């Protein structure tokens, strides 16, 4: 497809040297993107490498792999290696990359424009001749574009391989599946750890605050770039579900089918409160340095890990925590009468915190949680959600989980009621599960069946073989 002078399709891999670091997933980009018609123009270096990509701080010589207090730590070396690899992805992702130049600024809800900016994305399957089989996948808070391939930093399988792949409900033999990293993220789409071309250093807090609508605007530019007028479906969970709803409202004519899971039309006061706790944990870490840790060669690992530990509890349910761990002790016969991780659940949370810090940027955590907090779909429609969906012809399928107390069924039901009031085509399933909010990421047979059925029906309706 034609690229304007200021839109460059970039390929991965002009990655900066990270000392002795080797990728746990080196060479493991499992399914090469198959965007039809893209022109590869090589990679582009946008500026000096952030100092934070070095395994140790050049400023202080201090190791960047500080553990959570008292945690059963992973060795500092490997953590630093993972973190350095993750940081390299911010500007040089192992993904398809589109760079929007000065002629394609992104207008943000904050009232400013962002230009230039880039979007990192993965595709799976092939776009058909009439471009009617494209499905956009929207990821959740800490997700990324690696929905169905081995992750370049962690070496783990894609986060939605339960649903995406050949013969799976989001069938890559039939559909052209696109997954992009959100604006404000840290895996290659412009975010706070990206190089600010005006200064040559990472944006940090100089990046404007972004919203879910901004994320969706940026995705629409990617979809334009791919030459796709209408998406067969937009699918996502949690923050991904917020993006799905925003797509249906912002671009109703471009979304044939929409499938928001474990989502809501606005972030609740309780959820904003949880996010604020997490942000305060990050900002209270002395190594956060007012958001300038990449420049100063530090890393707010403890703060971000604590933020993730607290958040992770909200992604599970009381019964799933009980089922997994109960009151069992971690590798010991009795209590130690100390503050070590005596309980398995403590050890588990510490592990989740540490693992998160290895792959996610602390400032991105601030930006992405903020975007979720600001989300309120009805706000621009006089507080009447049904008006946001007025005259929509998109067909919807909403999914919630019985044990999700973060985005409870009532939130999805409110969207369904609004869609009913707007006369929209909508189906809704509340799935019985004890796995809490993150159930949408797990192998849930009912979710698999519903997703398959809904997408098959959409495909039939538009004549996708
Ligand atoms: C949404 C997106 O778009 S992408 C982002 C999605 N990914 C995440 O959110 C990652 C963090 N979230 C999770 O791990 C979520 O619980 C899930 C839903 C994704 C995975 O759930 P499950 O498959 O049930 O995994 P579980 O919660 O048991 O965690 C397994 C991990 O805990 C570790 N673990 C389990 N018990 C313990 C313990 N007692 N002590 C220390 N670690 C432990 C396991 O070793 C495993 O580690 P690994 O992930 O590094 O291999
Ligand atoms: N656990 C998922 C869902 C959170 O809403 C994530 O971290 O993105």
């Amino acid at each position: 497809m034609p690229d304007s002078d200021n839109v460059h399709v970039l390929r991965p891999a002009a990655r900066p040297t990270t000392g002795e670091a080797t990728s746990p997933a080196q060479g493991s980009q499992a399914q090469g993107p198959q965007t039809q018609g893209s022109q590869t123009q090589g990679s582009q270096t946008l500026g000096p490498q952030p100092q934070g990509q070095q395994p140790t701080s050049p400023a202080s010589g201090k190791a960047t792999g500080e553990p959570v207090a008292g945690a059963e730590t992973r060795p500092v070396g490997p953590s630093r290696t993972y973190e350095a690899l993750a940081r390299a992805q911010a500007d040089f992702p192992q993904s398809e990359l589109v760079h929007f130049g000065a002629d394609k600024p992104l207008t943000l809800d904050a009232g400013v424009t962002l230009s230039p900016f880039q979007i990192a994305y993965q595709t799976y399957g092939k776009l058909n001749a009439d471009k009617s089989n494209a499905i956009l996948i929207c990821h959740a808070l800490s997700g990324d574009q690696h929905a169905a391939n081995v992750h370049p930093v962690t070496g783990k399988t894609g986060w939605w391989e339960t649903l995406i792949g050949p013969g799976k409900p989001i069938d890559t033999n039939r559909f052209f599946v696109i997954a992009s990293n959100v604006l404000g993220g840290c895996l290659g789409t412009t975010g706070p750890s990206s190089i600010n071309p005006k200064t040559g250093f990472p944006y940090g807090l100089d990046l404007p605050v972004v919203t879910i609508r901004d994320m969706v605007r940026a995705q629409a530019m990617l979809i334009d770039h791919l030459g796709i007028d209408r998406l067969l479906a937009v699918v996502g969970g949690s923050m991904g579900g917020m993006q799905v709803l925003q797509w249906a409202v912002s671009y109703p004519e471009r979304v044939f089918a929409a499938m928001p899971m474990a989502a809501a039309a606005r972030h609740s006061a309780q959820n904003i409160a949880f996010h604020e706790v997490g942000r305060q944990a990050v900002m209270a870490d002395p190594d956060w340095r007012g958001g300038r840790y990449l420049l100063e060669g530090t890393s707010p690992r403890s703060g971000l890990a604590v933020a993730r530990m607290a958040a992770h509890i909200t992604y599970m349910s009381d019964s799933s925590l009980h089922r997994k761990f109960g009151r069992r002790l971690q590798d010991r016969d009795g209590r130690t009468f100390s503050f070590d991780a005596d309980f398995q659940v403590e050890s588990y949370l510490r592990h989740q915190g540490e693992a998160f810090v290895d792959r996610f940027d602390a400032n991105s955590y601030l930006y992405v949680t903020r975007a979720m907090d600001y989300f309120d779909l009805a706000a621009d429609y006089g507080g009447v959600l049904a008006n946001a969906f007025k005259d929509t012809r998109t067909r919807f399928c909403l999914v919630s989980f019985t044990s999700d107390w973060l985005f409870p069924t009532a939130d999805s039901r409110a969207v369904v009621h609004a869609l009913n009031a707007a006369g929209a085509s909508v189906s809704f399933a509340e799935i019985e599960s004890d796995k809490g909010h993150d159930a949408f990421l797990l192998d849930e047979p009912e979710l698999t069946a519903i997703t398959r059925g809904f997408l098959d029906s959409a495909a039939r309706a538009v004549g996708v073989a």
Side-chain angles (χ1 to χ4, degrees), residues 139-144 159 237-240 262 267 275 308 311-312 314-315 356 359-360 365 372 406-407 437-438 440-441:
H139 68 74
L141 195 169
S142 74
D144 50 46
W159 57 266
S238 192
M239 187 183 85
H267 218 213
H275 277 174
R308 182 62 168 183
H312 195 80
T314 72
Y315 305 149
F356 185 61
R359 71 176 175 88
F360 209 81
Y365 194 76
M372 291 179 77
L406 197 63
F407 288 80
H437 178 64
D438 267 356
F440 76 95
L441 294 167

Side-chain angles (χ1 to χ4, degrees), residues 319-395:
S319 60
S320 65
L321 280 174
H322 182 75
R323 174 169 48 76
K324 276 176 185 283
F325 309 111
R327 289 184 52 81
R328 287 187 294 281
L329 299 179
Q330 179 72 34
D331 299 332
R332 63 203 70 194
D333 296 327
R335 295 169 294 174
T336 62
F337 294 94
S338 75
F339 299 103
D340 195 9
D342 276 0
F343 293 99
Q344 285 184 5
V345 68
E346 294 175 289
S347 167
Y348 170 76
L349 280 182
R350 289 177 185 193
H351 173 79
Q352 291 291 347
E354 283 285 296
F356 185 61
V357 169
D358 284 346
R359 71 176 175 88
F360 209 81
D361 174 64
N363 282 337
S364 269
Y365 194 76
L366 306 185
Y367 277 81
V368 177
T369 54
R370 205 53 171 161
M372 291 179 77
D373 292 352
Y374 282 169
F375 187 64
D376 182 358
L377 212 44
D380 291 335
Y381 298 87
V384 182
L385 187 57
N387 289 345
F389 298 113
K390 195 166 177 291
D391 299 328
T392 186
R393 287 191 292 154
T394 300
R395 51 169 79 183

